[in-house]
Amino acid sequence: MSYRFLADAVVLAHLLFIVFVVLGGGLVLLWPRLALLHLPAACWGAFIEISAGICPLTPLENAWRQAAGEAGYAGSFIEHYLLPIIYPVGLTRDIQFVLAAVVIVVNLGIYGWLLYRWRQLRAVGEGVGVAGGQKTTAR
């Protein structure tokens, strides 16, 4: 198998992971059990942005590119692939904090709404309703 193909596959997996981190909360609205995968992914994505860390997929991609006789690159996946499209000037700490904040705020909103909905469904399932401002138990 070609190292270039492997490196390209890592880029695709990396991009799909980022999309899942940012938009996966929407999928959790459809499939709540997906939260078991999405919450750790979102936490990891926010951590990498806040800590200015490099995702382990980036050095793996670079190693396979170099094994294929291509040049690797310095910096992160976002700096190399996404910033030229989104931010022509370059990635700054402020932008990284904004990206992390977007991930955190969007997901807090989604998971807060899911928790609210889950509590409502649980109350209905237990036969607890609200009538006249007081809880009543269905019989």
Side-chain angles (χ1 to χ4, degrees):
M1 189 176 293
S2 165
Y3 286 115
R4 181 169 189 230
F5 175 79
L6 290 171
D8 290 344
V10 169
V11 169
L12 180 60
H14 207 161
L15 182 60
L16 291 174
F17 181 80
I18 291 170
V19 169
F20 182 64
V21 164
V22 175
L23 303 175
L27 295 174
V28 172
L29 293 173
L30 299 173
W31 301 291
R33 291 180 190 252
L34 191 60
L36 297 172
L37 294 175
H38 183 254
L39 277 172
C43 289
W44 174 258
F47 169 75
I48 286 295
E49 287 304 318
I50 290 170
S51 69
I54 299 290
C55 179
L57 293 177
T58 301
L60 177 63
E61 178 204 348
N62 279 326
W64 281 340
R65 291 226 181 271
Q66 290 169 352
E70 298 177 13
Y73 57 86
S76 71
F77 173 86
I78 292 173
E79 288 172 318
H80 186 73
Y81 289 105
L82 299 181
L83 282 180
I85 297 168
I86 301 170
Y87 306 107
V89 179
L91 183 65
T92 65
R93 275 310 271 153
D94 290 338
I95 292 171
Q96 286 181 302
F97 282 122
V98 168
L99 292 172
V102 167
V103 168
I104 292 167
V105 168
V106 166
N107 286 294
L108 279 176
I110 289 171
Y111 284 102
W113 186 81
L114 280 172
L115 181 61
Y116 171 76
R117 190 175 82 171
W118 176 74
R119 285 183 176 174
Q120 282 185 324
L121 292 173
R122 187 172 156 212
V124 169
E126 293 174 354
V128 177
V130 177
Q134 297 178 353
K135 288 187 177 183
T136 60
T137 305
R139 296 184 182 184

